[in-house]
Amino acid sequence: MTKTEKCGALFLGIALASGCAVGPNYKKPKVNTPTVYRGVTPDQAANPDPKSLAQQKWWEVFQDEQLKELIRTALQQNYDLRRAGSRILQARAALGITRSNQFPTISADASALNERAARQGTIPPVETNANEVGAAFHWELDFWGKFRRATEAARANLAASEWGQREIATELVANVASAYFSLRALDLQLEITRRTLASRQDSLRLTQILASGGSTSLLDVRQAEQLVFTAGSEVPSLEQQIEQQENFISILLGNNPASVPRGRSLTDQPHSPTVPAGLPSALLQRRPDIRQAEEQLIAANAQIGVARAQYFPQIVLTANAGYQSSALTDLFTGPAGFWTFGSTLAQPIFTGGRLRSNVRLAEAQQQEAVFFYQETIQGAFRDVSDALIAYRKTQEFREQQQFLVNSAQDAARLSHMRYNGGVASYLEVLTNETNYFSAELNLAQAQLNELLALVQLYKGLGGGWEQ
């Protein structure tokens, strides 16, 4: 067997022998998962449905075409989402850099030196020619899995960045939908206010006519004016909130502040009174923040192996080969060739506790990642439970608020009839008109809260990131 063959066999044997990797292999932590979500109806708890609202795409959950267009624009232009994409590219490049450490490094070089020394007394001038072409080989063997564990950590960090981008997409879809529904609620409140203002202005003119004819008192006029001024003061306030909400939506879309086109009204947004929540166990695979936390845990676990590998010797193989000659024409002739091969072994003996502290640091960081993973899961269960409760209770509140509006409307109508019949004072009209106006505004807010609870439930279940 030639020397070259022996070297090749040695490389192969060493590479095959470097198959172990120190440090713990990843094991998923135990999690206390409930069988059903708190907040589901008794029927849903007795017969849990594996289907979940989150399995629907966001364009299936939100039926307003204009809202869909806003969400599409946000997913393309939002700066937070675009920064998340840049972080994925960074993590992918970091993985490539880390993984390259597992492989040997081969480099080539060439040099040509022509030198002439001047005459020194009786010593004649000297000319020197040196030409060299060579290649260098350097390989730190991954006997203990240091580079493989580091690559495992880098790969997990890449996956965490990808899940982080999906979490931002989920947040963005929910934020745009919530902001749009809030805008439509403000539009509805402004519509109610302007309608009420116009009605009260008509009542004021009638009261002024009656007062001028002596059929009523100036006090009634002042009370009618109070109704007009109360509704009138709401208009600029609502207009301010509308424009500021449009600015907020524009920024979510990655645009400069501008007006926002509208679609369906707030009361025309379709949504089911009951939605499937699915099984809590499926949430661990569905929620992007849970998946991101788990990938961060995998990366922290792999770093323990990287730290422990520092205890063991580092073995490096080096080799150089090439040609050198004083004459360029003779550079590649047989006698001009040269080669060297060697290896080094470095074993830490005394580091002042640095290696031990590095291991302890990695273990503590892994423990923190475990706690964060478990805390994230519990927080996700709470998000879903809160949203389920909110969606059901806001529906009940909205129904009662509708009854209140109907009653207040009828009371306002009757008070006007009693006043026109001369059996009631205008104070009664003032009170009932105020109650009716407040009830209408509160109903619009209740309708908004119901839709916002649906958005939060969809987000809590992990919906919105699939495109």
Side-chain angles (χ1 to χ4, degrees):
M1 183 180 290
T2 64
K3 290 183 178 180
T4 303
E5 291 173 336
K6 289 180 180 179
C7 290
L10 178 60
F11 287 155
L12 179 60
I14 292 175
L16 293 175
S18 60
C20 63
V22 298
N25 294 324
Y26 173 73
K27 294 181 180 179
K28 186 185 291 286
K30 293 182 179 180
V31 179
N32 182 17
T33 305
T35 56
V36 294
Y37 293 110
R38 185 187 183 194
V40 297
T41 62
D43 291 340
Q44 291 174 325
N47 301 291
D49 187 352
K51 294 182 180 179
S52 171
L53 175 67
Q55 293 174 340
Q56 299 182 36
K57 307 297 190 295
W58 57 261
W59 56 88
E60 297 171 345
V61 175
F62 306 117
Q63 297 297 314
D64 190 316
E65 292 299 326
Q66 190 57 56
L67 173 57
K68 293 180 185 179
E69 188 60 32
L70 294 176
I71 293 177
R72 290 190 189 98
T73 303
L75 292 173
Q76 293 175 356
Q77 299 181 177
N78 180 264
Y79 283 104
D80 288 338
L81 198 58
R82 290 159 72 180
R83 283 203 306 270
S86 298
R87 287 193 291 270
I88 291 177
L89 297 178
Q90 295 172 36
R92 187 173 291 123
L95 172 60
I97 295 171
T98 304
R99 186 170 50 194
S100 68
N101 293 327
Q102 299 181 51
F103 304 99
T105 300
I106 301 175
S107 60
D109 64 89
S111 64
L113 176 65
N114 297 316
E115 183 179 10
R116 182 179 187 277
R119 180 186 180 94
Q120 301 286 335
T122 59
I123 301 175
V126 179
E127 292 188 7
T128 303
N129 297 320
N131 302 285
E132 182 175 322
V133 174
F137 173 91
H138 181 276
W139 189 14
E140 182 178 348
L141 300 179
D142 195 21
F143 255 104
W144 321 112
K146 176 178 67 174
F147 298 137
R148 276 170 287 151
R149 290 298 190 192
T151 301
E152 180 185 348
R155 187 174 289 109
N157 285 328
L158 172 59
S161 298
E162 293 171 342
W163 282 109
Q165 185 190 44
R166 292 165 187 161
E167 169 65 11
I168 292 176
T170 299
E171 291 273 357
L172 182 60
V173 169
N175 288 341
V176 173
S178 297
Y180 180 78
F181 290 147
S182 297
L183 178 63
R184 298 306 282 141
L186 290 170
D187 290 338
L188 178 58
Q189 290 175 345
L190 181 60
E191 178 187 339
I192 294 171
T193 302
R194 284 175 172 169
R195 185 179 69 243
T196 302
L197 176 60
S199 175
R200 290 180 177 181
Q201 287 173 338
D202 291 339
S203 297
L204 174 60
R205 283 192 290 269
L206 178 59
T207 306
Q208 289 172 335
I209 293 173
L210 293 175
S212 62
S215 300
T216 187
S217 66
L218 185 61
L219 177 61
D220 290 346
V221 175
R222 294 292 177 259
Q223 290 174 335
E225 288 175 345
Q226 292 177 38
L227 290 175
V228 171
F229 299 151
T230 300
S233 65
E234 290 291 328
V235 171
S237 175
L238 288 169
E239 290 175 340
Q240 172 189 337
Q241 295 177 61
I242 287 172
E243 292 193 29
Q244 291 175 340
Q245 188 71 9
E246 288 180 322
N247 292 344
F248 174 64
I249 294 176
S250 298
I251 298 303
L252 287 178
L253 270 56
N255 297 330
N256 290 326
S259 62
V260 173
R262 269 69 156 176
R264 299 189 181 194
S265 65
L266 183 73
T267 56
D268 194 31
Q269 299 293 335
H271 57 284
S272 174
T274 59
V275 294
L279 301 177
S281 58
L283 196 66
L284 275 61
Q285 298 300 318
R286 182 74 202 179
R287 285 255 308 209
D289 57 340
I290 295 178
R291 296 297 299 273
Q292 182 184 23
E294 184 177 13
E295 294 296 340
Q296 291 170 342
L297 172 58
I298 294 173
N301 187 79
Q303 289 295 340
I304 297 177
V306 175
R308 288 183 180 176
Q310 300 295 333
Y311 278 114
F312 300 96
Q314 297 180 6
I315 302 175
V316 179
L317 301 180
T318 58
N320 289 278
Y323 296 91
Q324 55 185 196
S325 174
S326 59
L328 189 60
T329 56
D330 298 332
L331 182 60
F332 296 103
T333 60
F338 73 92
W339 63 268
T340 61
F341 172 76
S343 62
T344 61
L345 184 148
Q347 170 63 54
I349 297 177
F350 177 75
T351 60
R354 176 173 55 85
L355 299 182
R356 182 174 64 253
S357 296
N358 279 338
V359 173
R360 290 177 177 175
L361 174 62
E363 291 174 342
Q365 291 173 336
Q366 187 265 356
Q367 187 179 50
E368 180 187 6
V370 170
F371 295 149
F372 180 73
Y373 173 66
Q374 294 171 333
E375 181 185 25
T376 302
I377 292 174
Q378 284 192 342
F381 290 151
R382 180 191 172 184
D383 289 344
V384 175
S385 179
D386 287 350
L388 285 169
I389 295 170
Y391 190 53
R392 190 174 72 253
K393 294 303 180 182
T394 52
Q395 287 177 345
E396 296 175 4
F397 180 82
R398 188 254 307 158
E399 292 171 356
Q400 296 300 317
Q401 193 65 35
Q402 182 66 64
F403 295 147
L404 177 59
V405 168
N406 296 339
S407 178
Q409 182 182 26
D410 196 46
R413 180 184 62 83
L414 292 174
S415 63
H416 275 286
M417 292 176 60
R418 285 166 53 82
Y419 175 73
N420 293 334
V423 296
S425 67
Y426 204 84
L427 179 61
E428 181 178 310
V429 175
L430 174 64
T431 301
N432 286 287
E433 279 285 347
T434 301
N435 291 341
Y436 176 45
F437 182 48
S438 298
E440 279 197 296
L441 295 180
N442 290 337
L443 176 60
Q445 185 63 46
Q447 292 166 332
L448 170 63
N449 291 339
E450 184 178 350
L451 289 171
L452 294 181
L454 175 65
V455 173
Q456 291 305 310
L457 178 57
Y458 183 57
K459 171 177 170 281
L461 290 170
W465 57 266
E466 291 180 320
Q467 306 304 320

